Amino acid sequence: MFNRILIANRGEIALRIIRACRELGVEAVCVYSEADKDAKYLRMADRAICIGPAPAKESYLNISRIIAAAEIADVDAIHPGYGFLSERAEFAQACRDCKIEFIGPTPEAMARLGDKVACKNAAKEAGVPVFPGSAGAIEDPEEAVKIADKIGYPVIIKASAGGGGRGMRVCHNEGSLRSNIQAASTEAQAAFGNGAVFIEKYLEHAQHVEIQVIGDKHGNAIHLWERNCSMQRRHQKLIEEAPSPGLDRETIRPVCEAAVRLIKQAKYHGAATCEFLMDEKRNFYMLEVNTRVQVEHPVTEMITGVDIVKTMIRVAAGEKLPYTQDQIHVNGHAIECRINAEDPDRKFMPQPGPINRWEPPGGPGVRMDTHVVPGYVVPKFYDSMVAKLIVHDETREKCIERTRRALAEFTVEPIKTTIGLHARLMENGDFRKGGVDIHYLERLLK
Ligand code: MV4
C-alpha cells in the first residue's frame, strides 16, 4: 500500500478521499487554491499545500504546480477525484513521467475510452450495444446523408472529442444534416482541437442508465450494477438513484457483463462508468465511458457496501480486486440529491457567499457527503455543489419517504439552494412512479 497520497481536487470529494486514506492508514496531502485556504477539510489532511490563486487554471488545473507539490510532499500516488484533471491523459502521463502512481487508468486506456469514436469501436468489438451510425469519423456530407438514409432520421452529430453534451446537434432531415455537418466539425476543432465528428441514430425518449465497473492490474474486473441519472437539467444531474426504477436484474445483467468485457478488453484498471441510454422497450445503447470516480458513486456504495474510493486506491497500489462478481449483491435502494448553491427560481443562478446557518440532516439511512460547516463561504470560482444527500432504505418507496424526511431537516441560510426543488421532486407523481426520461426536468421547470 502507498505511504502517502496527494489529492488533486477540492471540496467534498477531497474530504471523501481523505477519509478513504485514513481508513487505509495512508497519509493524505491536500492541495488548495487561495480561494479555499480557510476550508476546514484541509485541517483533516496530514498536510496542505497552496498551489496558486483562485482561478482553476492557475491551481487545480495546473499540472506543473500539482506535480511540484507532489514532489515536495514526496507522495507515492495522486488521486484526481472528478472534474479538473481527472480525465486528462496528459496529467496521467505527467504522473508516470515523475514515477508517481496516478489513481486511475493508464493514459493509453484513458485516451482510448475517452475518444468517442475509438470507444464506440472498442465497444462493438466487446459486444457492447451501441447506436447504429457511422463506423468512424465522417468528413463528407454525402457520406453522412447515405448513412442517415440507411438508419433513418432523426440522427445526432457528435464530436469524437466531446462529452457531457458538448458539441452535439440533432438533425431531423437531410437539409439540416447537410448544413450542420461542416459547422459541427469546425466547432469541434475550435472547442476540442479535434474536428472529428460522427453520426448515429437519435433516440428521443430515453432514460440515462450507467454501469459502475472497476478493474485491477491483474486483468480482473467486476461491475457494481447500475445507476439511473435521468433527472437532469442541461447535462447537470440533480438526482441519481440505484437500482434503476422497475428494472429487473435479468434485463440489466447482460448490459453489466458487456461493460465488464469492454474494460477488460481495454486493459483498464481503476473505476469507470459506462453510460447508456435505455429506450421504452428497455433496449440499451452505450454513449460514452467516464474514466474517473463519479460524483454519484455513493449511491452504488450504499446498495452494494463496496467502498469505491478505497477500492480505487487498493487496485492502483497493485492489489487484486478484493471482491469477485458473485460477492456483489444489491441491497435496498439509494437516492442522491445534489444540493447546489443555486436559485432554481432564477435559472439556477449561482449563489456564492457565506452560509451562516447550516443544519444538515441525520438519522438512520442518511449519509451527507459535504465539506461545508457553519460559516463556510461558497467561492464563486468553482461548481456550486455544496453537499450530496444520500439516503438508503429497503425499497424505493421507503427511500423516497426517508429522503423527504431528511430534506425537511435540512436548513441552509441565507443563500438559496436546490433543497426546496428536491423536496418538490420527492412529491412529484411522475418521479414517484419511476421512469421519467432525460428531458423530464427541463419540461417541468418551463
Ligand atoms: C444521445 C441522445 C439521444 N440519442 N445520443 C448527451 C450527453 C452525452 N453523453 C450524450 N447525450 C445524448 N446522446 C443519441 N444517439 C441524447 C443525449 C442526451 C442526454 C443523454 C444523457 C443524459 C441527458 C441527456 C440530455 C440531453 C441529450
Side-chain angles (χ1 to χ4, degrees):
M1 183 41 66
F2 305 120
N3 289 314
R4 197 173 297 125
I5 290 172
L6 180 138
I7 301 163
N9 215 299
R10 63 176 300 281
E12 70 85 20
I13 195 66
L15 177 52
R16 172 72 188 83
I17 299 165
I18 293 172
R19 286 177 169 144
C21 289
R22 280 277 165 280
E23 291 183 16
L24 289 168
V26 175
E27 284 184 30
V29 177
C30 272
V31 293
Y32 64 96
S33 75
E34 282 163 20
D36 288 327
K37 67 176 171 27
D38 299 320
K40 220 189 127 197
Y41 66 87
L42 295 175
R43 278 177 267 158
M44 292 172 65
D46 294 279
R47 186 169 177 182
I49 300 174
C50 185
I51 50 165
K57 276 210 161 122
E58 298 173 60
S59 49
Y60 301 109
L61 285 171
N62 191 306
I63 293 177
S64 47
R65 287 181 180 179
I66 290 167
I67 296 288
E71 300 282 10
I72 289 165
D74 193 26
V75 302
D76 311 301
I78 296 182
H79 198 306
Y82 52 70
F84 297 120
L85 297 170
S86 60
E87 293 186 280
R88 293 259 281 267
E90 59 170 317
F91 182 53
Q93 183 63 50
C95 292
R96 177 192 277 169
D97 294 342
C98 297
K99 303 198 162 43
I100 299 165
E101 191 66 34
F102 177 81
I103 301 174
T106 62
E108 292 79 18
M110 193 191 279
R112 177 129 194 260
L113 296 186
D115 179 272
K116 287 186 172 180
V117 166
C119 182
K120 220 177 143 176
N121 287 329
K124 276 190 229 168
E125 276 177 45
V128 180
V130 294
F131 283 105
S134 55
I138 30 173
E139 282 114 56
D140 179 17
E142 296 310 318
E143 190 191 341
V145 169
K146 261 192 211 154
I147 295 161
D149 282 338
K150 216 166 68 192
I151 62 179
Y153 290 89
V155 299
I156 184 167
I157 308 171
K158 294 183 178 182
S160 191
R166 296 175 313 154
M168 304 188 328
R169 284 157 192 251
V170 179
C171 306
H172 290 271
N173 52 56
E174 186 178 324
S176 91
L177 178 58
R178 279 183 195 283
S179 66
N180 273 303
I181 204 106
Q182 192 58 54
S185 174
T186 307
E187 195 182 281
Q189 183 64 46
F192 316 115
N194 175 356
V197 296
F198 65 101
I199 67 165
E200 63 185 24
K201 178 82 186 169
Y202 179 70
L203 178 60
E204 311 245 16
H205 300 284
Q207 292 184 57
H208 181 165
V209 175
E210 57 185 32
I211 312 295
Q212 176 72 59
V213 289
I214 188 156
D216 67 21
K217 294 178 178 177
H218 306 274
N220 306 300
I222 58 169
H223 67 80
L224 303 176
W225 299 98
E226 86 286 8
R227 297 183 285 261
N228 187 311
C229 312
S230 298
M231 200 62 99
Q232 59 88 37
R233 174 186 175 270
R234 298 192 175 180
H235 306 291
Q236 295 299 309
K237 296 165 182 171
L238 255 294
I239 295 174
E240 303 98 347
E241 62 181 315
S244 185
L247 189 59
D248 58 83
R249 297 300 89 192
E250 298 325 302
T251 305
I252 192 67
R253 182 178 285 110
V255 184
C256 297
E257 289 171 351
V260 168
R261 285 199 302 277
L262 174 59
I263 73 154
K264 277 189 177 172
Q265 175 194 268
K267 298 202 187 313
Y268 188 97
H269 54 72
T273 299
C274 300
E275 291 188 11
F276 290 82
L277 288 183
M278 180 177 76
D279 70 15
E280 283 134 323
K281 291 178 185 154
R282 300 199 145 91
N283 296 309
F284 288 84
Y285 309 92
M286 200 193 75
L287 290 177
E288 57 192 73
V289 176
N290 303 134
T291 59
R292 57 168 193 279
V293 69
Q294 286 196 258
V295 173
E296 60 270 30
H297 76 276
V299 300
T300 299
E301 294 187 326
M302 299 299 271
I303 62 154
T304 61
V306 173
D307 186 316
I308 293 170
V309 179
K310 265 160 66 177
T311 308
M312 288 177 81
I313 296 170
R314 294 176 71 167
V315 298
E319 291 184 20
K320 285 191 175 164
L321 268 179
Y323 313 90
T324 55
Q325 191 64 59
D326 59 355
Q327 291 173 311
I328 304 299
H329 303 286
V330 174
N331 170 33
H333 196 91
I335 294 175
E336 173 177 283
C337 298
R338 292 197 196 185
I339 312 302
N340 298 337
E342 294 171 354
D343 184 354
D345 296 330
R346 288 193 179 80
K347 298 178 179 169
F348 293 78
M349 212 201 299
Q351 305 281 298
I355 298 178
N356 302 326
R357 200 160 161 222
W358 177 261
E359 289 165 20
V366 174
R367 166 176 169 181
M368 279 285 291
D369 278 20
T370 182
H371 60 294
V372 173
V373 293
Y376 179 78
V377 182
V378 181
K380 64 177 182 190
F381 298 96
Y382 314 111
D383 74 67
S384 57
M385 195 175 74
V386 289
K388 302 184 305 205
L389 166 64
I390 309 107
V391 178
H392 182 261
D393 210 331
E394 290 165 343
T395 65
R396 185 169 189 267
E397 292 67 35
K398 288 180 181 174
C399 193
I400 291 172
E401 290 315 305
R402 184 169 268 178
T403 305
R404 286 171 77 180
R405 185 271 291 169
L407 288 163
E409 288 178 14
F410 204 165
T411 305
V412 181
E413 287 176 3
I415 61 163
K416 303 258 186 2
T417 72
T418 50
I419 293 171
L421 174 59
H422 282 295
R424 218 180 107 197
L425 290 171
M426 291 304 132
E427 316 256 310
N428 176 299
D430 296 314
F431 173 72
R432 295 172 73 98
K433 194 156 72 167
V436 302
D437 81 5
I438 53 179
H439 307 295
Y440 182 85
L441 185 59
E442 273 157 41
R443 285 196 303 262
L444 183 75
L445 295 171
K446 264 212 189 111

